[in-house]
Amino acid sequence: MVWDVLNVIGTLAFCISGALVAMEAKYDIMGIYILGLITAFGGGAVRNLMIGLPIVEVWQQTTLFVIALLAMTLFILLPKSFVFHMKEWSLFDAIGLSAFAVQGAMYAQSMDMPLLAVMFSASITGAGGGIIRDVLAQKRPSVFTKEVYLLWAILAGFVIGMDWVSTDVQLYVVFAIILALRLISQRCKWDLPIRSFDDR
């Protein structure tokens, strides 16, 4: 049940996040649908490729595709004044990151993969779609800037990979904690150290 719930939450959050970024970039209707779908399913596709699973499994999620398409259609039909108040796409991005980080970790753990693989699965499932979205929207991926983002997905993978959580309630708690940490770090403008040739 946790798997299915997080899958739906992550898909809805990321498809709306992708749609908002597409609107911000002034893409047409087709661009909104494509960017929304890529954001929602891109991370899972990359994860499958990296851990040796058939990529075709992504296309077998018919129900999630229908949910994503319906959600984006409803979103597009909403009045502009309402959508304007939702333009802070980072909230949906944080929800998608948290849901898919936990789901990705659960996926790798169910295959008895080592800790590093679980952490990688959590991070790429949680952040992969957002990376592809930002690249297609000609934005600098937030994952690779100083903002604290990917670290929280890795933390979720570590906690789950260490078998510190086992029940459904505990998994939901991990999801809530990762979401809270992401929102707090964004609100407080926490930054990771950077190192570049422009350092003074």
Side-chain angles (χ1 to χ4, degrees):
M1 178 60 76
V2 178
W3 169 273
D4 293 329
V5 171
L6 292 178
N7 230 351
V8 172
I9 291 175
T11 298
L12 286 172
F14 266 155
C15 73
I16 297 300
S17 168
L20 284 168
V21 171
M23 293 177 69
E24 186 179 62
K26 298 182 179 179
Y27 285 5
D28 61 17
I29 298 296
M30 185 58 67
I32 293 174
Y33 278 111
I34 295 300
L35 208 59
L37 290 174
I38 286 176
T39 308
F41 297 96
V46 175
R47 175 201 64 208
N48 286 6
L49 285 173
M50 296 298 291
I51 64 178
L53 292 174
I55 191 65
V56 71
E57 288 192 8
V58 174
W59 301 108
Q60 295 172 346
Q61 304 177 92
T62 306
T63 302
L64 288 178
F65 274 103
V66 171
I67 290 173
L69 289 170
L70 289 175
M72 285 187 291
T73 300
L74 178 61
F75 180 76
I76 290 170
L77 294 175
L78 288 173
K80 288 185 178 180
S81 59
F82 185 82
V83 174
F84 181 81
H85 293 294
M86 300 171 64
K87 66 178 182 177
E88 292 299 328
W89 55 267
S90 54
L91 171 61
F92 296 96
D93 195 59
I95 295 171
L97 169 74
S98 306
F100 276 160
V102 174
Q103 187 248 25
M106 290 172 61
Y107 197 84
Q109 188 187 46
S110 69
M111 300 174 62
D112 296 321
M113 303 195 80
L115 176 61
L116 286 178
V118 175
M119 293 167 65
F120 173 82
S121 181
S123 60
I124 200 64
T125 309
I131 294 173
I132 300 171
R133 174 203 63 207
D134 290 348
V135 170
L136 293 178
Q138 300 179 3
K139 296 162 58 78
R140 290 180 63 194
S142 56
V143 173
F144 303 133
T145 57
K146 59 183 179 177
E147 188 176 328
V148 184
Y149 185 96
L150 191 61
L151 179 64
W152 304 131
I154 294 173
L155 177 62
F158 179 76
V159 170
I160 293 172
M162 290 294 290
D163 289 323
W164 289 347
V165 295
S166 56
T167 67
D168 290 356
V169 173
Q170 289 173 335
L171 289 166
Y172 284 126
V173 169
V174 172
F175 162 70
I177 290 174
I178 298 301
L179 175 58
L181 287 171
R182 169 58 186 152
L183 293 175
I184 291 171
S185 66
Q186 185 180 37
R187 178 79 174 181
C188 298
K189 300 186 184 302
W190 293 349
D191 292 333
L192 292 174
I194 61 173
R195 185 69 174 171
S196 73
F197 291 112
D198 293 330
D199 289 347
R200 296 291 184 269

